[in-house]
Amino acid sequence: MSRQGTHLRISNWIQGRAIGPSSKAWFPKHNPHNGMILSYVPDSSAADVARAVESARKAFCFWREISAVQRGDILFRFVELMRENEKKLATCVAQETGKSPRDSLQEVQASIRQGQFFAGEGMRLHGRSLVSAVARKHSHTIRQPLGVAGLIVPANTPLANIAWKVFPALICGNTAVLKASEDAPATGNLFAEMGWRAGLPAGVLNVIHGRGSPAGSSLVENPEVDLISFTGSTQTGRWIAQTAGARLARVSLELGGKNPLVVCDDADLDHAVVWALSSAFSNAGQRCAAASRIFVFRKIYRAFCARLVRATERLKVGPQNGCDLGPVINSSSHRRILEAIAGAKKRGGKILTGGKPPKQPALRHGYYVEPTLVAGLPSHDVLNTDEIFGPVATLTEVADLEEAIRLANDCPYGLTAAIHTRSVDRAWEFVEHVRSGVANVNLGTHGSEPHMPFGGFGASGNGTREPGVEALDVYSELKTISFFRRGQIR
Ligand code: NAD
């Protein structure tokens, strides 16, 4: 780490050391709350990525030989250190994302849980015992690591996204090169340094910073990388699938969402409003699982909209504890979201509330957008089909459950979904027929807990599920081993 003027100059983390980019070029990372420069991010090149991959390749030779239980012991120490430093981690997350200290601390605690879960998997990294059609043949499966894992993450929940991938990758015996988000570089380094202090051998976890291209793309293209696990946009995911898929590398894609929340005419409306608010607007709507399409039964449409609009207008925008949502991550996201709202308005969308940056002088220079509800758009409108990744949700009136399910499914994404109803029949009909990897009843469109599989249909991914024990299938190869017992032993 060094300084550029008064600002922190971030380094890559390779072979247990902080190393600047070979280009000697850095670009600025801005504070989402006020637009000021927060730090400078290494503009890493393919050469820097190759160096990190080489470091991970070398470390793989011994990391894979350590027992999974011992790897788990190191990860438990790592998690302990995270717990001791949770305030420091939370401060870093809050600074880089603009979310409140309280929300940032919750993210750190969720990341710690993720680590605990996978550290424990070191004691359960078992296979299956199999029967054979051949007499005296005894078979079983074991899990083996793939090699070097390239892990690419976005900044919406920067620490949780990293924990989600690094812990399962390492417990399975892989070594890793993490491409941290250019919008949250310091969080990636702080995490890696804690791993190092906890006893991760040099080279087991490396961090590369930089732009999507060349830093991220070089990791995807590097033939020494055996597995790419990517969380990010569907557009980038599609390119990764083609590029890494061409050399038959393992690819796990956790992509975007356009998640429906349905409110039936028998729902508890106040309860539904609470969940609609947190689904649509928490983390400023920058959640793959955000409810960005809300479908409401005709009979209660006006009543529900009125309550939801009132509640939305009471939400507090800002970076402090007590605020409900902070800024979006960068200026280009900010511009894109405001343009999407303006476009919807031009196409006949009715802005029920929000639609612009907040007026408070203290927020004037930040990347803030008021929580926004838009009604009156057809289901094929881009605001109903494209992910906005900001605090914007549409409201659509539906006649009945059949129409709600049809419209919910009329979308390329299929990540999460929720329904609010008192009817078991309606609830069951919905969870069975909605096209999504997560389906909730009388909850929000939230989906992930460390021990639960998460992922989606269609444009939301490529069918893998992380985290949960299902992540072990992403980060390991199964080997089927058989023994033949020769005749009688005398
Ligand atoms: P993004 O695809 O632009 O970037 C994500 C990461 O990929 C960044 O680190 C970026 O530098 C890197 N990247 C960009 N281009 C690349 C390339 N050509 N090759 C390799 N790496 C590249 O996504 P974003 O806008 O930063 O993040 C938001 C997206 O992430 C949304 O679509 C959201 O739904 C999705 N997301 C999905 C999940 C999930 O679990 N399904 C969770 C969080 C976020």
Side-chain angles (χ1 to χ4, degrees):
M1 225 133 46
S2 56
R3 300 221 149 244
Q4 183 157 333
T6 55
H7 301 294
L8 186 69
R9 213 152 63 167
I10 311 266
S11 301
N12 291 321
W13 180 260
I14 302 175
Q15 197 67 25
R17 283 195 303 132
I19 297 176
S22 52
S23 64
K24 306 252 179 290
W26 277 261
F27 58 89
K29 145 77 192 160
H30 296 92
N31 182 334
H33 167 59
N34 55 22
M36 309 274 280
I37 292 176
L38 195 59
S39 60
Y40 282 89
V41 188
D43 200 355
S44 302
S45 63
D48 299 308
V49 170
R51 193 167 172 184
V53 171
E54 198 190 324
S55 152
R57 174 61 61 197
K58 274 196 201 135
F60 180 59
C61 301
F62 56 84
W63 184 244
R64 65 169 301 168
E65 299 299 334
I66 298 175
S67 79
V69 176
Q70 284 174 308
R71 291 196 295 262
D73 287 344
I74 297 176
L75 296 189
F76 273 123
R77 282 204 292 279
F78 189 167
V79 165
E80 248 347 281
L81 215 51
M82 286 175 75
R83 190 187 299 289
E84 284 164 24
N85 289 281
E86 59 180 22
K87 289 237 166 68
K88 190 172 175 187
L89 282 161
T91 303
C92 188
V93 169
Q95 262 192 349
E96 293 202 310
T97 61
K99 61 180 89 167
S100 70
R102 188 199 55 195
D103 288 357
S104 302
L105 189 61
Q106 278 171 3
E107 180 180 333
V108 173
Q109 287 161 349
S111 308
I112 288 171
R113 272 191 180 277
Q114 192 76 253
Q116 283 173 326
F117 177 79
F118 283 107
E121 284 306 297
M123 287 180 266
R124 284 182 294 267
L125 210 61
H126 44 64
R128 281 192 301 149
S129 147
L130 306 164
V131 293
S132 168
V134 177
R136 303 204 302 271
K137 181 178 161 191
H138 304 280
S139 303
H140 67 284
T141 60
I142 59 166
R143 288 188 182 277
Q144 293 197 309
L146 281 90
V148 176
L151 311 175
I152 306 175
V153 294
N156 60 330
T157 49
L159 190 69
N161 292 345
I162 291 172
W164 180 297
K165 296 192 184 304
V166 168
F167 288 120
L170 299 192
I171 197 67
C172 287
N174 306 283
T175 54
V177 177
L178 168 71
K179 157 66 180 77
S181 168
E182 54 271 54
D183 288 309
T187 302
N189 275 22
L190 194 54
F191 177 84
E193 283 165 30
M194 268 175 212
W196 164 251
R197 278 170 46 211
L200 277 184
V204 168
L205 173 60
N206 307 275
V207 185
I208 277 287
H209 296 286
R211 303 178 197 275
S213 187
S217 55
S218 305
L219 188 59
V220 174
E221 286 166 335
N222 191 310
E224 286 295 312
V225 176
D226 303 282
L227 144 74
I228 295 287
S229 176
F230 170 77
T231 297
S233 65
T234 297
Q235 192 190 5
T236 309
R238 207 167 262 134
W239 178 82
I240 289 175
Q242 286 163 357
T243 309
R247 66 168 194 281
L248 301 181
R250 171 92 42 98
V251 179
S252 175
L253 303 173
E254 301 287 336
L255 308 177
K258 194 75 198 167
N259 311 294
L261 184 143
V262 174
V263 186
C264 300
D265 52 9
D266 62 345
D268 174 340
L269 293 196
D270 289 329
H271 183 77
V273 164
V274 170
W275 280 110
L277 283 184
S278 77
S279 298
F281 302 129
S282 62
N283 204 9
Q286 300 170 111
R287 292 172 43 244
C288 54
S292 46
R293 296 180 297 148
I294 302 173
F295 297 102
V296 187
F297 276 35
R298 186 157 299 146
K299 219 165 118 189
I300 50 137
Y301 182 77
R302 286 169 73 108
F304 180 78
C305 285
R307 288 189 205 196
L308 186 62
V309 168
R310 266 201 311 276
T312 302
E313 285 172 351
R314 283 199 294 265
L315 292 178
K316 282 204 191 111
V317 180
Q320 310 92 336
N321 283 340
C323 291
D324 299 288
L325 63 155
V328 297
I329 194 71
N330 56 36
S331 61
S332 67
S333 253
H334 189 237
R335 199 176 324 113
R336 184 181 49 72
I337 294 164
L338 292 173
E339 280 169 11
I341 298 169
K345 215 165 149 183
K346 269 197 202 138
R347 294 188 303 276
K350 188 169 172 217
I351 312 294
L352 301 181
T353 183
K356 46 189 191 320
K359 287 200 194 79
Q360 295 96 299
L363 308 183
R364 205 178 34 194
H365 299 295
Y367 312 135
Y368 289 93
V369 179
E370 286 177 340
T372 301
L373 292 168
V374 186
L377 292 169
S379 74
H380 53 77
D381 186 274
V382 286
L383 204 69
N384 276 321
T385 57
D386 291 11
E387 190 185 38
I388 302 299
F389 218 57
V392 182
T394 61
L395 277 155
T396 304
E397 193 175 312
V398 290
D400 52 23
L401 186 61
E402 194 186 328
E403 188 182 18
I405 294 175
R406 185 171 57 72
L407 294 183
N409 290 344
D410 185 19
C411 168
Y413 296 99
L415 194 56
T416 71
I419 187 167
H420 282 254
T421 178
R422 287 185 168 95
S423 156
V424 175
D425 298 324
R426 277 176 168 170
W428 196 252
E429 177 77 9
F430 180 78
V431 296
E432 201 165 303
H433 291 105
V434 73
R435 188 172 164 271
S436 64
V438 172
N440 295 333
V441 178
N442 296 330
L443 289 162
T445 50
H446 310 66
S448 63
E449 290 188 42
H451 53 293
M452 293 187 189
F454 184 76
F457 288 52
S460 292
N462 65 341
T464 58
R465 295 290 183 266
E466 301 179 45
V469 287
E470 286 73 9
L472 303 177
D473 294 333
V474 170
Y475 294 99
S476 60
E477 286 282 11
L478 277 188
K479 183 176 279 179
T480 305
I481 299 175
S482 296
F483 281 84
F484 184 68
R485 180 165 54 82
R486 286 172 298 129
Q488 292 272 311
I489 302 166
R490 289 175 206 288

